[in-house]
Amino acid sequence: MSIVSTSLSRIKASPTVAITQKARELKEQGKEVITLSSGEPDFDTPDNIKQAAIKAINKGDTKYTAVDGTPDLKKAIVQKFKRENNLEFKTENITVGTGGKQVIYNCILATVNPGDEVIIPSPFWVSYPDIVLLAGGVPKIVECGEKYNFKINGELLEKAITKKTKWFILNSPGNPTGMCYLRSELTDIVKVLKKHPHVYILTDDIYEHIFYEEDNRSNDDKFINILEVAEDLRNRTVIVNGVSKSYSMTGWRIGYGAASKEIIQAVSKLQSQSTTNPSSISQAAAVEALNGTQSFIKERSAEFKKRRDYVVKELNSIKGLSCVNPKGAFYVFPSCKNTMGKKTVAGTIIKTDTDFVSNLLDQEGVAVVQGSAFGLEGYFRISYATSMNELQKAILKIRKFCESLS
Ligand code: PLP
């Protein structure tokens, strides 16, 4: 009999980590590999944030802190919500965890009973279904394909809700598609949620600051949180956010959540028996990230936007591929459906997006992630959080691969 528990056997290791690992192995064998599979900004953490961490170390901020965050960081988070989202919270509504992922994990583990359903629109961030499974819940995947612009709408949501629905997870800007919900789309979703008061909402806003203002600006050209559309959903909504993506701080592991006091206390109880508090030094750095200059966000977004424009234009000119133009995150999600049934130079027939991705890696040394890992077949995800130079090389190789198919 295996030592592995039955709940752990229900989940898989993160597929995005798996492809990055395969790329690393090829590199170690001396092959040139361009990695477009990882979900982190290539920019370094801004210097003012690093300095705040150094100061904290020198000052002796090296001990346990309050389980769910230092008072300073909680205050900075409250101010962030007021300043950027026009939402009022008290510090008792805030929890800080070791990355946004831990906040989501805690929240689901602390609230889901066996058999409870969690609605997850697909394509989705790979961790949502597995976290739900670990909690003994049932991921209820709602396919939101390209014809829906990869977004759920009121009608699809209504069909998915049952008496057993506990949570509905919303992610905007979204991983893996980069799509963002507009005010009108959130209004449509809110109408349905108001009819079903037993459904809780988890909104994952981790990519909030990677959101592009287009040249022809409209009222929709601003990130919007579901509570800005319907403040009355507040008691059953958890906002998850963090500093990982916004401030290039993935390795520092600080994420946070805002919710009712009841949920925050449950999350804190769980965290007190696992990781205790997030790193004291990282929390001091996160205070500076939130309270200090925000110029980094604008400068970095402008650079990401240039890359998005380049990548989307090029992908759409490659035989067999097509790509919608997303408004945020640092991902694009092109279709490779038109390459299905074609033969590679090595003689393999491409039957699935996984075949496409693994042959692209073997033949041209470009690492991307298959759409099926995110719950939607026929696509692949490119992370353009890498230099323009690398992107140009990668695009040439993707073009060469697609043109070599017969
Ligand atoms: N939510 C989404 C949609 C993500 O893509 C990620 C990271 O890839 C996270 C949450 C977790 O972020 P963190 O690094 O803060 O744990």
Side-chain angles (χ1 to χ4, degrees), residues 139-194:
K140 186 112 187 233
I141 310 296
V142 179
E143 191 173 304
C144 305
E146 199 170 335
K147 78 169 179 180
Y148 298 107
N149 260 325
F150 303 121
K151 294 187 252 189
I152 197 165
N153 59 34
E155 199 185 331
L156 292 170
L157 178 62
E158 179 80 69
K159 275 196 210 138
I161 293 176
T162 71
K163 281 195 194 110
K164 289 188 180 164
T165 307
K166 185 73 168 254
W167 289 96
F168 160 54
I169 299 184
L170 188 66
N171 174 216
S172 171
N175 179 3
T177 64
M179 299 309 273
C180 303
Y181 284 79
L182 309 178
R183 180 179 282 275
S184 55
E185 291 163 340
L186 290 176
T187 307
D188 179 43
I189 288 170
V190 158
K191 265 193 220 146
V192 174
L193 290 169
K194 286 196 176 169

Side-chain angles (χ1 to χ4, degrees), residues 39 98-102 104 125 128 171 173-175 204 206-207 240-245 250 253-255 331 381:
T98 302
K101 190 185 249 178
Q102 193 190 19
I104 296 169
W125 178 46
Y128 299 139
N171 174 216
N175 179 3
D204 179 350
I206 199 97
Y207 293 99
V240 177
N241 208 322
V243 295
S244 302
K245 319 281 179 176
T250 43
R253 311 307 302 130
I254 296 291
Y331 306 110
R381 187 193 76 175

Side-chain angles (χ1 to χ4, degrees), residues 32-50:
E32 198 201 330
V33 176
I34 303 178
T35 307
L36 305 182
S37 54
S38 100
E40 63 183 347
D42 53 317
F43 300 96
D44 197 5
T45 304
D47 204 49
N48 61 315
I49 299 175
K50 288 185 186 171

Side-chain angles (χ1 to χ4, degrees), residues 178-389:
M179 299 309 273
C180 303
Y181 284 79
L182 309 178
R183 180 179 282 275
S184 55
E185 291 163 340
L186 290 176
T187 307
D188 179 43
I189 288 170
V190 158
K191 265 193 220 146
V192 174
L193 290 169
K194 286 196 176 169
K195 283 199 267 168
H196 302 279
H198 67 291
V199 178
Y200 285 77
I201 303 117
L202 190 153
T203 161
D204 179 350
D205 300 356
I206 199 97
Y207 293 99
E208 166 176 7
H209 291 119
I210 304 166
F211 185 101
Y212 311 127
E213 291 175 1
E214 309 297 347
D215 298 335
N216 50 345
R217 286 203 62 174
S218 72
N219 288 340
D220 274 326
D221 240 355
K222 186 185 164 299
F223 167 82
I224 179 159
N225 175 282
I226 195 161
L227 289 186
E228 291 172 72
V229 174
E231 173 98 43
D232 48 337
L233 294 179
R234 206 182 156 96
N235 278 338
R236 51 184 174 118
T237 299
V238 176
I239 303 179
V240 177
N241 208 322
V243 295
S244 302
K245 319 281 179 176
S246 297
Y247 301 93
S248 277
M249 291 176 72
T250 43
W252 299 75
R253 311 307 302 130
I254 296 291
Y256 55 87
S260 69
K261 204 170 152 190
E262 189 189 7
I263 294 178
I264 294 298
Q265 280 174 348
V267 160
S268 173
K269 188 171 166 189
L270 180 61
Q271 189 160 298
S272 75
Q273 295 297 12
S274 59
T275 54
T276 313
N277 58 279
S279 147
S280 56
I281 322 283
S282 298
Q283 290 190 74
V287 171
E288 173 61 21
L290 296 176
N291 287 349
T293 169
Q294 302 294 303
S295 57
F296 172 72
I297 288 178
K298 262 211 148 105
E299 288 157 19
R300 194 260 330 258
S301 279
E303 181 56 36
F304 274 146
K305 184 169 173 248
K306 265 192 237 156
R307 298 180 192 175
R308 178 210 59 181
D309 290 346
Y310 169 74
V311 170
V312 170
K313 185 163 164 264
E314 290 296 319
L315 287 171
N316 278 320
S317 73
I318 295 177
K319 205 170 116 201
L321 304 184
S322 64
C323 185
V324 295
N325 193 24
K327 255 189 101 50
F330 36 67
Y331 306 110
V332 287
F333 199 61
S335 162
C336 55
K337 286 181 187 164
N338 286 339
T339 65
M340 298 297 130
K342 300 245 157 96
K343 205 196 280 174
T344 67
V345 283
T348 315
I349 305 284
I350 305 222
K351 294 197 203 84
T352 62
D353 52 12
T354 308
D355 293 341
F356 179 89
V357 161
S358 66
N359 282 283
L360 175 64
L361 182 56
D362 289 338
Q363 191 178 313
E364 291 297 334
V366 178
V368 296
V369 187
Q370 67 278 18
S372 46
F374 307 98
L376 196 68
E377 293 266 353
Y379 295 81
F380 63 101
R381 187 193 76 175
I382 288 182
S383 161
Y384 54 86
T386 190
S387 72
M388 199 61 168
N389 193 20

